[in-house]
């Protein structure tokens, strides 16, 4: 299957990047009115950038899984998790190895290496809480999607009509994740 870029999703991704950057880099007014006016959306709505990334990621991953389910009649959770691991873990573990050269690894390694830093705080690399939430989503999705697909029945194919309820339950857990991460 060829990877085809979707411009509209790239626009959403770009908006999410700008919002997140605006949130992190706009602590106060500059005193220059035109510049403050341009920076205001980041200050006011920048928090939504990470949320938008989560929604976009869930949409894209969910769509891939739904397409696999419709194409093959099944969902290979093991393959799904291995693909996610090879996509995210290599750079994470390189980052952890480099951090271990600068900071005592006992202060962060087990929390970040096991994706539990949003439950057990670390004094460094606190930005990785969102990666932990993403990993939790992948694990939950890999275990819950097959159950949902079996429950839906219909000859092995899954429609999107029941997906809003599943998404709603996932969103209900989001404040818990954010609260645990302190964000």
């Amino acid at each position: 299957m060829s990877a085809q870029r979707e411009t509209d999703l790239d626009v959403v991704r770009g908006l999410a990047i700008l919002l997140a950057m605006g949130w992190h880099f706009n602590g106060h007014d500059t005193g220059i009115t035109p510049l403050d006016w341009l920076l205001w959306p980041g200050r006011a709505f920048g928090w939504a950038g990470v949320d938008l990334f989560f929604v976009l990621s869930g949409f894209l991953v969910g769509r891939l899984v739904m397409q696999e389910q419709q194409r093959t009649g099944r969902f290979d959770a093991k393959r799904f998790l291995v693909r996610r691991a090879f996509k995210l873990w290599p750079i994470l573990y390189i980052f952890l190895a480099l951090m271990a050269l600068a900071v005592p690894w006992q202060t962060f390694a087990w929390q970040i290496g096991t994706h539990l830093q949003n439950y057990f705080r670390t004094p460094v690399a606190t930005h990785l809480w969102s990666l932990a939430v993403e990993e939790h989503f992948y694990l939950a999705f890999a275990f819950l999607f097959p159950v949902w697909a079996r429950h839906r029945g219909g000859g092995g194919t899954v429609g999107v009509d029941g997906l809003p309820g599943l998404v709603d339950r996932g969103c209900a857990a989001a404040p818990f994740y954010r609260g645990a991460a302190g964000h």
Side-chain angles (χ1 to χ4, degrees):
M1 178 163 73
S2 66
Q4 184 179 359
R5 298 295 295 198
E6 296 183 51
T7 306
D8 50 348
L9 296 180
D10 285 340
V11 169
V12 172
R13 188 177 294 115
L15 179 62
I17 290 168
L18 289 173
L19 286 169
M21 288 175 60
W23 180 256
H24 288 289
F25 298 125
N26 281 315
H28 57 283
D29 287 339
T30 65
I32 304 168
T33 304
L35 183 57
D36 289 337
W37 185 81
L38 287 171
L39 296 175
W40 177 79
R43 263 193 311 280
F45 306 109
W47 56 268
V50 173
D51 292 11
L52 196 52
F53 271 119
F54 283 146
V55 170
L56 185 60
S57 178
F59 170 76
L60 293 171
V61 168
R63 183 172 64 177
L64 288 173
V65 170
M66 299 281 278
Q67 287 171 346
E68 177 183 339
Q69 173 76 17
Q70 289 175 343
R71 188 177 64 254
T72 66
R74 61 186 296 271
F75 167 62
D76 187 346
K78 180 180 175 184
R79 181 174 170 263
F80 171 77
L81 290 172
V82 167
R83 288 180 67 196
R84 299 285 73 82
F86 278 115
K87 186 172 187 140
L88 297 174
W89 289 358
I91 195 68
L92 172 67
Y93 289 108
I94 290 170
F95 176 75
L96 290 177
L98 292 173
M99 277 190 52
L101 298 174
V103 180
W105 65 269
Q106 298 90 339
T107 62
F108 67 87
W110 75 269
Q111 298 99 321
I112 296 173
T114 58
H115 304 292
L116 294 173
Q117 68 269 31
N118 56 339
Y119 297 109
F120 303 98
R121 297 189 190 276
T122 61
V124 295
T126 57
H127 62 286
L128 293 175
W129 71 269
S130 61
L131 182 61
V133 172
E134 190 172 358
E135 288 293 333
H136 298 168
F137 169 76
Y138 292 151
L139 286 171
F141 199 88
F143 290 108
L144 294 177
F145 183 80
V147 172
W148 179 69
R150 271 194 302 278
H151 174 71
R152 294 278 308 139
T157 61
V158 178
V160 296
D161 56 333
L163 202 53
L166 189 62
V167 170
D168 182 54
R169 285 169 188 78
C171 289
F176 170 72
Y177 280 121
R178 178 169 289 153
H183 299 282

Short mmCIF file of all heavy atoms in Angstrom, two decimals, residues 97-126:
data_model
loop_
_atom_site.label_atom_id
_atom_site.label_comp_id
_atom_site.label_asym_id
_atom_site.label_seq_id
_atom_site.Cartn_x
_atom_site.Cartn_y
_atom_site.Cartn_z
N ALA A 97 19.62 6.83 26.33
CA ALA A 97 21.05 6.52 26.46
C ALA A 97 21.87 7.80 26.54
O ALA A 97 22.79 7.91 27.37
CB ALA A 97 21.50 5.66 25.29
N LEU A 98 21.53 8.78 25.71
CA LEU A 98 22.25 10.06 25.74
C LEU A 98 21.98 10.80 27.06
O LEU A 98 22.89 11.41 27.63
CB LEU A 98 21.86 10.93 24.56
CG LEU A 98 22.32 10.42 23.19
CD1 LEU A 98 21.73 11.26 22.06
CD2 LEU A 98 23.84 10.40 23.13
N MET A 99 20.75 10.72 27.54
CA MET A 99 20.44 11.36 28.82
C MET A 99 21.21 10.72 29.97
O MET A 99 21.63 11.40 30.90
CB MET A 99 18.94 11.27 29.12
CG MET A 99 18.15 12.36 28.45
SD MET A 99 16.46 12.44 29.02
CE MET A 99 16.61 12.49 30.78
N ALA A 100 21.39 9.41 29.88
CA ALA A 100 22.11 8.70 30.94
C ALA A 100 23.55 9.16 31.04
O ALA A 100 24.18 9.01 32.10
CB ALA A 100 22.04 7.19 30.70
N LEU A 101 24.09 9.73 29.98
CA LEU A 101 25.45 10.27 30.02
C LEU A 101 25.51 11.58 30.80
O LEU A 101 26.55 11.93 31.35
CB LEU A 101 25.97 10.51 28.60
CG LEU A 101 26.10 9.27 27.71
CD1 LEU A 101 26.49 9.67 26.29
CD2 LEU A 101 27.11 8.29 28.30
N ALA A 102 24.39 12.29 30.87
CA ALA A 102 24.36 13.61 31.50
C ALA A 102 23.70 13.62 32.87
O ALA A 102 24.04 14.45 33.72
CB ALA A 102 23.64 14.60 30.60
N VAL A 103 22.77 12.70 33.10
CA VAL A 103 21.97 12.70 34.33
C VAL A 103 21.99 11.27 34.89
O VAL A 103 21.94 10.32 34.11
CB VAL A 103 20.50 13.10 34.01
CG1 VAL A 103 19.64 13.11 35.25
CG2 VAL A 103 20.46 14.45 33.32
N PRO A 104 22.06 11.12 36.19
CA PRO A 104 22.02 9.75 36.74
C PRO A 104 20.76 9.01 36.26
O PRO A 104 19.64 9.46 36.48
CB PRO A 104 21.97 9.97 38.25
CG PRO A 104 22.53 11.34 38.46
CD PRO A 104 22.18 12.13 37.24
N TRP A 105 20.94 7.90 35.59
CA TRP A 105 19.84 7.18 34.97
C TRP A 105 18.80 6.69 35.97
O TRP A 105 17.64 6.50 35.62
CB TRP A 105 20.35 6.04 34.10
CG TRP A 105 21.04 4.95 34.88
CD1 TRP A 105 22.36 4.89 35.17
CD2 TRP A 105 20.44 3.82 35.48
NE1 TRP A 105 22.64 3.78 35.92
CE2 TRP A 105 21.46 3.09 36.12
CE3 TRP A 105 19.15 3.33 35.55
CZ2 TRP A 105 21.22 1.92 36.82
CZ3 TRP A 105 18.91 2.15 36.24
CH2 TRP A 105 19.95 1.46 36.86
N GLN A 106 19.20 6.51 37.23
CA GLN A 106 18.24 6.02 38.23
C GLN A 106 17.11 7.00 38.46
O GLN A 106 16.06 6.63 38.98
CB GLN A 106 18.93 5.74 39.57
CG GLN A 106 19.99 4.68 39.51
CD GLN A 106 21.37 5.25 39.19
OE1 GLN A 106 21.53 6.33 38.64
NE2 GLN A 106 22.40 4.47 39.52
N THR A 107 17.30 8.27 38.09
CA THR A 107 16.28 9.28 38.35
C THR A 107 15.17 9.29 37.30
O THR A 107 14.16 9.95 37.49
CB THR A 107 16.90 10.69 38.40
OG1 THR A 107 17.48 10.98 37.12
CG2 THR A 107 17.95 10.79 39.49
N PHE A 108 15.36 8.56 36.19
CA PHE A 108 14.35 8.65 35.13
C PHE A 108 14.17 7.38 34.31
O PHE A 108 13.13 7.20 33.69
CB PHE A 108 14.71 9.77 34.16
CG PHE A 108 15.96 9.51 33.37
CD1 PHE A 108 15.93 8.80 32.19
CD2 PHE A 108 17.19 9.97 33.83
CE1 PHE A 108 17.08 8.55 31.47
CE2 PHE A 108 18.35 9.73 33.11
CZ PHE A 108 18.29 9.02 31.92
N ALA A 109 15.14 6.50 34.26
CA ALA A 109 15.15 5.43 33.26
C ALA A 109 13.96 4.49 33.36
O ALA A 109 13.31 4.20 32.36
CB ALA A 109 16.45 4.65 33.35
N TRP A 110 13.65 4.00 34.54
CA TRP A 110 12.58 3.01 34.61
C TRP A 110 11.22 3.62 34.31
O TRP A 110 10.38 3.00 33.67
CB TRP A 110 12.58 2.27 35.95
CG TRP A 110 12.05 3.06 37.11
CD1 TRP A 110 12.75 3.86 37.96
CD2 TRP A 110 10.69 3.12 37.54
NE1 TRP A 110 11.92 4.42 38.88
CE2 TRP A 110 10.64 3.97 38.66
CE3 TRP A 110 9.51 2.53 37.10
CZ2 TRP A 110 9.46 4.26 39.33
CZ3 TRP A 110 8.34 2.81 37.78
CH2 TRP A 110 8.33 3.67 38.89
N GLN A 111 11.00 4.87 34.73
CA GLN A 111 9.70 5.50 34.47
C GLN A 111 9.49 5.74 32.97
O GLN A 111 8.43 5.45 32.43
CB GLN A 111 9.57 6.86 35.18
CG GLN A 111 9.64 6.79 36.68
CD GLN A 111 11.03 7.14 37.19
OE1 GLN A 111 12.03 6.77 36.60
NE2 GLN A 111 11.08 7.85 38.29
N ILE A 112 10.51 6.28 32.31
CA ILE A 112 10.38 6.59 30.90
C ILE A 112 10.50 5.32 30.06
O ILE A 112 9.74 5.12 29.11
CB ILE A 112 11.43 7.64 30.47
CG1 ILE A 112 11.16 8.96 31.21
CG2 ILE A 112 11.40 7.84 28.96
CD1 ILE A 112 12.22 10.02 31.00
N GLY A 113 11.40 4.45 30.41
CA GLY A 113 11.59 3.21 29.66
C GLY A 113 10.38 2.30 29.67
O GLY A 113 10.18 1.51 28.75
N THR A 114 9.56 2.40 30.69
CA THR A 114 8.34 1.58 30.78
C THR A 114 7.08 2.39 30.47
O THR A 114 5.98 1.90 30.63
CB THR A 114 8.20 0.97 32.18
OG1 THR A 114 8.17 2.01 33.15
CG2 THR A 114 9.33 0.00 32.47
N HIS A 115 7.25 3.64 30.08
CA HIS A 115 6.13 4.53 29.73
C HIS A 115 5.18 4.75 30.90
O HIS A 115 3.97 4.79 30.74
CB HIS A 115 5.37 4.01 28.51
CG HIS A 115 6.25 3.80 27.33
ND1 HIS A 115 6.85 4.85 26.67
CD2 HIS A 115 6.66 2.67 26.72
CE1 HIS A 115 7.59 4.36 25.69
NE2 HIS A 115 7.49 3.06 25.70
N LEU A 116 5.75 4.92 32.06
CA LEU A 116 4.95 5.19 33.25
C LEU A 116 5.25 6.55 33.87
O LEU A 116 4.84 6.82 34.99
CB LEU A 116 5.17 4.08 34.30
CG LEU A 116 4.68 2.70 33.89
CD1 LEU A 116 5.12 1.66 34.91
CD2 LEU A 116 3.18 2.68 33.71
N GLN A 117 5.94 7.41 33.13
CA GLN A 117 6.32 8.70 33.70
C GLN A 117 5.13 9.61 33.94
O GLN A 117 5.25 10.60 34.65
CB GLN A 117 7.39 9.40 32.85
CG GLN A 117 6.93 9.86 31.51
CD GLN A 117 7.14 8.81 30.44
OE1 GLN A 117 7.09 7.62 30.68
NE2 GLN A 117 7.37 9.26 29.22
N ASN A 118 3.97 9.31 33.39
CA ASN A 118 2.82 10.13 33.71
C ASN A 118 2.16 9.68 35.01
O ASN A 118 1.25 10.34 35.50
CB ASN A 118 1.81 10.16 32.55
CG ASN A 118 1.36 8.79 32.13
OD1 ASN A 118 2.04 7.80 32.39
ND2 ASN A 118 0.23 8.71 31.48
N TYR A 119 2.62 8.58 35.59
CA TYR A 119 2.18 8.15 36.92
C TYR A 119 3.27 8.36 37.96
O TYR A 119 2.99 8.68 39.10
CB TYR A 119 1.78 6.67 36.90
CG TYR A 119 0.62 6.39 36.00
CD1 TYR A 119 0.79 5.70 34.81
CD2 TYR A 119 -0.65 6.84 36.33
CE1 TYR A 119 -0.28 5.45 33.98
CE2 TYR A 119 -1.73 6.59 35.51
CZ TYR A 119 -1.53 5.90 34.34
OH TYR A 119 -2.59 5.66 33.52
N PHE A 120 4.51 8.10 37.57
CA PHE A 120 5.65 8.24 38.47
C PHE A 120 6.54 9.33 37.89
O PHE A 120 7.25 9.12 36.92
CB PHE A 120 6.42 6.92 38.58
CG PHE A 120 5.56 5.79 39.04
CD1 PHE A 120 5.01 4.89 38.14
CD2 PHE A 120 5.27 5.64 40.38
CE1 PHE A 120 4.21 3.85 38.56
CE2 PHE A 120 4.47 4.60 40.82
CZ PHE A 120 3.94 3.70 39.91
N ARG A 121 6.50 10.48 38.48
CA ARG A 121 7.18 11.66 37.94
C ARG A 121 8.70 11.47 37.87
O ARG A 121 9.28 10.74 38.64
CB ARG A 121 6.87 12.88 38.80
CG ARG A 121 5.40 13.21 38.79
CD ARG A 121 5.16 14.55 39.46
NE ARG A 121 3.75 14.77 39.66
CZ ARG A 121 2.95 15.26 38.73
NH1 ARG A 121 3.41 15.58 37.57
NH2 ARG A 121 1.67 15.44 38.98
N THR A 122 9.25 12.17 36.91
CA THR A 122 10.70 12.18 36.75
C THR A 122 11.17 13.63 36.85
O THR A 122 10.44 14.54 36.47
CB THR A 122 11.12 11.62 35.38
OG1 THR A 122 10.56 12.43 34.36
CG2 THR A 122 10.67 10.19 35.21
N PRO A 123 12.38 13.85 37.32
CA PRO A 123 12.88 15.23 37.41
C PRO A 123 13.36 15.76 36.06
O PRO A 123 13.61 16.95 35.92
CB PRO A 123 14.03 15.13 38.40
CG PRO A 123 14.51 13.72 38.28
CD PRO A 123 13.29 12.90 37.96
N VAL A 124 13.49 14.88 35.07
CA VAL A 124 13.97 15.28 33.75
C VAL A 124 13.05 14.73 32.68
O VAL A 124 12.26 13.82 32.92
CB VAL A 124 15.41 14.77 33.50
CG1 VAL A 124 16.39 15.41 34.45
CG2 VAL A 124 15.48 13.26 33.61
N ALA A 125 13.15 15.27 31.49
CA ALA A 125 12.40 14.79 30.32
C ALA A 125 10.90 14.70 30.59
O ALA A 125 10.25 13.76 30.17
CB ALA A 125 12.96 13.45 29.83
N THR A 126 10.38 15.69 31.28
CA THR A 126 8.96 15.66 31.63
C THR A 126 8.07 15.77 30.40
O THR A 126 6.88 15.41 30.47
CB THR A 126 8.61 16.79 32.61
OG1 THR A 126 8.99 18.04 32.02
CG2 THR A 126 9.34 16.61 33.92
#
